[in-house]
Amino acid sequence: MRFRRGARLDTDQVTDVRGRSMGTGGLAVGGGGIGAAALVIYLLYALLSGSSGGLGGQLEPLDGQQVGRGDTPGEVSQACQTGEDANQRDDCRVVGVVNSVQRFWDGVFQRSDRQYQYVDTVFFTGQVQTGCGFASSEVGPFYCPQDKLVYIDLGFFDELESKFGASNTPFVQAYVIAHEYGHHVQGQLGVLAAIRGSQQGPESKAVRSELQADCYAGVWAESAVQTGTIEEIPQSDINEGLDAAAAIGDDRIQAQTQGQVNPETWTHGSSEQRRRWFSRGYEQGKPAACDTFSGSI
């Protein structure tokens, strides 16, 4: 995946709190020994749902500190100005992806006579305070519906390769970001509010929402070049995205971390499902193709 060298990047769509002290405390996981790989499965959706019955109730409360739009330190705003910068740096690349993804969804919403709400991606290191509570980087990238922000420790991309076996390539990084913004779209459409209380199981609403976000990422990928920021996404990149989707399937991660697979505790879907729904979104290129809530998945 390459960005147009002269494309202008909008760093106002990111908030950078890397290197800042975000207070004391951490995730009260309970029991310990789960490991970062399993945490991506077991914690990500609990944060997403914000349900008092899930991990959201175990996150330490906010102490009044807030992160918000437009808080962009000089390094990012100065370093990430053009598509050429996005071709060279991970943080600038994420800025470019965020710009492209949000421009795409803005167009989709406009064509449906709706207004898309632009929201930031927050860069953090180690731990961060969010509207959903206190989170560590072990949670992986996530969207918090309470403050409507996407959060990511950019070190996750290295873990994606070392712990999950997925390629750490520009398009795989873009897939991760596009998936999280898929959850933001779900929030605006009222999907997230309807899934509480169905957070585990092979046919649960939790799994269906995650597969829909995968599909939405594929839909964006099909139209990404048309957003003006990205120059090309070759088929080889799409194949790497499909492999990444499969690498973070519940069944594969459970087999790696627990030595057995238990579909009743799934929150994101199997490797085959994640790959298939991403592919469906990319091949059909329309959000309407991403109805994961009707029939079998």
Side-chain angles (χ1 to χ4, degrees), residues 28-35:
V29 177
I34 295 178

Side-chain angles (χ1 to χ4, degrees), residues 58-216:
Q58 299 178 11
L59 295 177
E60 294 196 1
L62 293 172
D63 61 2
Q65 299 183 38
Q66 296 291 329
V67 292
R69 185 173 176 79
D71 184 13
T72 309
E75 181 182 1
V76 171
S77 61
Q78 293 175 17
C80 304
Q81 298 186 18
T82 70
E84 182 60 24
D85 299 323
N87 288 328
Q88 301 297 325
R89 292 175 50 135
D90 283 354
D91 51 1
C92 298
R93 183 177 303 120
V94 173
V95 172
V97 172
V98 169
N99 292 170
S100 175
V101 170
Q102 297 210 95
R103 188 174 297 123
F104 168 74
W105 284 112
D106 185 46
V108 171
F109 273 55
Q110 285 188 31
R111 289 190 292 274
S112 300
D113 295 323
R114 301 173 66 103
Q115 184 173 358
Y116 173 80
Q117 179 183 3
Y118 279 74
V119 298
D120 279 14
T121 285
V122 179
F123 296 157
F124 73 96
T125 303
Q127 56 189 17
V128 67
Q129 295 226 341
T130 82
C132 296
F134 201 93
S136 83
S137 59
E138 289 183 310
V139 177
F142 63 94
Y143 170 72
C144 173
Q146 275 64 39
D147 57 23
K148 298 181 174 63
L149 295 170
V150 172
Y151 291 87
I152 185 170
D153 183 329
L154 296 179
F156 171 77
F157 294 134
D158 293 328
E159 292 190 1
L160 192 62
E161 183 172 27
S162 63
K163 294 184 178 181
F164 295 93
S167 299
N168 181 10
T169 61
F171 182 73
V172 170
Q173 296 174 7
Y175 156 66
V176 170
I177 299 300
H179 173 98
E180 298 308 329
Y181 273 93
H183 288 313
H184 175 55
V185 170
Q186 290 173 329
Q188 293 187 78
L189 297 178
V191 173
L192 297 186
I195 61 180
R196 295 180 180 179
S198 179
Q199 298 179 10
Q200 289 186 348
E203 295 285 333
S204 66
K205 290 180 180 179
V207 167
R208 291 175 184 271
S209 72
E210 295 296 338
L211 296 177
Q212 185 175 67
D214 281 336
C215 185
Y216 281 165

